[in-house]
Amino acid sequence: MPTRLRIEIAGYHHLINRGVNRCDVFNHNNDKDMFLQIINKTAIIHKIILHDYVLMDNHYHLLIETQKENLSTFMRIVIANYSQYFNRKYNRSGHLWQDRYKSKFITSDDYLYTLIRYIENNPREANITQKICTYPFTLSHNIFKSKKYYSCCKESILLTQFDIKTLRDFLEVPLSQKDFEFLETKQKQKIEKEHNTIIIKCEQELQDYFTNVSIRKQRNSAILKAYLDGYTQVEIAKYLNISKSLVSKVVNSGDSTPGV
């Protein structure tokens, strides 16, 4: 089955993943501590800055900055080491994570600072806490409460661009519906890289791929191209009003000639 290409671009990235079947990937606080320790050790080696994070029981959000095009290498080590730790500790086997982690490249300051507020507000949105900066597994909590944070966070925006009062005021502003819509729009951007130039493509309706497609081979080529560009099989199947299994056959074949 072909793998959708992950564009390796030095800069800010929002990383997300959750447990397989939405199961918990952190059963206790010391599991979250271990995950952060693994991130810290790996980030130092690969010269990566952890600008912000939140670890919930069944998923995480990370805001990192890469200096080189080494995002995949960094995350492969982090995920492999934590999965090995978790499976050994809880005497389990098999996949721990739902899928490959999702990564979104941050394309503007507005996107960056809105995302920080979104990450820090995750526990409040989930009704785990009523006040910002009180959930232990966010960077803001370490800044305001323990005043201790990992080495990979020392150059975080939260530490270098805010004083304590300004940071608290900034984070305490609730996210509006407009903020959520803005983030959703940014999440749908397609990022490409050509000749060391970053190209941002706004999400287009899937009809862009299927306009004037009249025969099966053309349709299958368009399905494969849409999938490799980041659309899910479910999205493609829904748009074309065909079964996901049919889309899966095209994707698994890796070409435009399967008999479907």
Side-chain angles (χ1 to χ4, degrees), residues 36-87:
L36 289 172
Q37 289 173 33
I38 292 170
I39 287 176
N40 184 58
K41 180 179 179 180
T42 312
I44 291 171
I45 293 172
H46 293 278
K47 301 186 185 306
I48 284 172
I49 300 170
L50 179 59
H51 284 281
D52 203 6
Y53 61 85
V54 61
L55 307 186
M56 308 296 277
D57 287 347
N58 69 351
H59 71 281
Y60 63 76
H61 293 270
L62 307 176
L63 173 58
I64 71 165
E65 181 183 359
T66 57
Q67 310 298 317
K68 302 178 180 179
E69 297 184 351
N70 58 355
L71 173 64
S72 294
T73 300
F74 166 73
M75 285 304 294
R76 184 171 63 249
I77 295 171
V78 169
I79 295 307
N81 277 273
Y82 182 76
S83 298
Q84 185 179 42
Y85 153 84
F86 190 89
N87 285 351

Side-chain angles (χ1 to χ4, degrees), residues 8-20:
E8 293 274 341
I9 306 173
Y12 295 95
H13 299 264
H14 177 205
L15 310 179
I16 316 161
N17 209 349
R18 65 177 66 251
V20 64

Side-chain angles (χ1 to χ4, degrees), residues 190-233:
K190 302 295 178 183
I191 309 296
E192 295 182 2
K193 188 176 182 184
E194 293 182 6
H195 307 296
N196 293 320
T197 301
I198 297 172
I199 300 173
I200 302 171
K201 293 184 176 180
C202 292
E203 177 90 349
Q204 299 293 320
E205 290 191 30
L206 280 170
Q207 67 183 32
D208 291 347
Y209 293 93
F210 302 107
T211 301
N212 298 323
V213 170
S214 58
I215 61 174
R216 185 175 65 201
K217 185 174 180 179
Q218 290 176 333
R219 183 204 65 188
N220 291 350
S221 294
I223 287 173
L224 187 59
K225 184 178 188 303
Y227 178 76
L228 292 174
D229 279 353
Y231 290 94
T232 68
Q233 295 181 28

